[in-house]
Amino acid sequence: TTVIIQVQRQKHVTGPAESGNMRLRELHVLENRLWDYLMTKNSGIFYRGTAGEGKGTGLGALGNGVYLTWTEGMAKAFAQHVGGEVKKYKVKPGLKMADAQGPEVIAIKKEMGFEPWEYSNDEMYGGMMTMGLKDLGFDGAVSDKPADGIVIFDPSNIEEV
């Protein structure tokens, strides 16, 4: 028997039922619906406002990695802020992305002493968020806010186009 439980409006958890409960190791979390939508809508193409040698702003609210956005205008705003340029990237399909407001991110923030809406620009914060999400099998994280955007932890999962 398979049970579907609505965890939050953007995710579903499925797995075999066992005495009315689900065994954690048998759960399968379907990818974030927002991420699926953005990948389909943009054909895997996203934008990045870079400073100089391809560096970002260094904020790390979703973890450490390459930050992208689905709106070219937002990338232009970042590029203007740092005196850089906008670059376009193709993201590999099939990545497992955490929801910035999802239970995994909230739990990691709580462990660090942050509320769900809080973050820090401290390198340790970004490192802990990245490590925590990678340990859970995520390749990055996505926010529903274009300014927060998307972080891809491993640069080999994107290609400049």
Side-chain angles (χ1 to χ4, degrees):
T1 305
T2 298
V3 176
I4 298 176
I5 301 170
Q6 177 94 22
V7 174
Q8 60 176 195
R9 73 176 197 276
Q10 293 183 343
K11 293 183 181 179
H12 288 82
V13 178
T14 65
E18 181 180 277
S19 303
N21 295 315
M22 297 171 70
R23 292 187 297 191
L24 184 60
R25 69 181 180 279
E26 293 180 353
L27 292 178
H28 175 68
V29 179
L30 299 178
E31 286 191 10
N32 183 307
R33 284 188 188 177
L34 173 62
W35 177 245
D36 292 341
Y37 169 76
L38 292 172
M39 280 293 286
T40 301
K41 179 180 181 265
N42 296 338
S43 301
I45 302 295
F46 296 91
Y47 305 93
R48 176 173 169 82
T50 63
E53 301 161 1
K55 295 182 180 180
T57 61
L59 185 56
L62 301 175
N64 297 332
V66 180
Y67 276 78
L68 305 169
T69 184
W70 54 94
T71 66
E72 192 171 7
M74 186 57 65
K76 283 181 184 176
F78 276 107
Q80 289 172 349
H81 177 71
V82 295
E85 63 183 338
V86 173
K87 294 187 177 189
K88 191 189 292 190
Y89 292 89
K90 175 101 175 156
V91 176
K92 287 183 181 177
L95 299 183
K96 182 178 176 186
M97 301 294 285
D99 177 353
Q101 302 301 317
E104 302 89 355
V105 171
I106 290 171
I108 294 166
K109 285 182 175 186
K110 185 176 180 179
E111 287 178 27
M112 292 190 286
F114 289 91
E115 295 294 334
W117 59 88
E118 294 178 321
Y119 61 89
S120 171
N121 63 355
D122 183 90
E123 286 182 32
M124 182 66 78
Y125 172 91
M128 294 296 290
M129 182 63 67
T130 304
M131 185 174 63
L133 290 174
K134 279 182 159 185
D135 286 349
L136 294 171
F138 289 103
D139 298 302
V142 60
S143 171
D144 61 357
K145 300 176 186 101
D148 294 347
I150 301 157
V151 64
I152 306 294
F153 300 139
D154 183 351
S156 70
N157 284 323
I158 64 170
E159 180 181 347
E160 189 174 350
V161 292

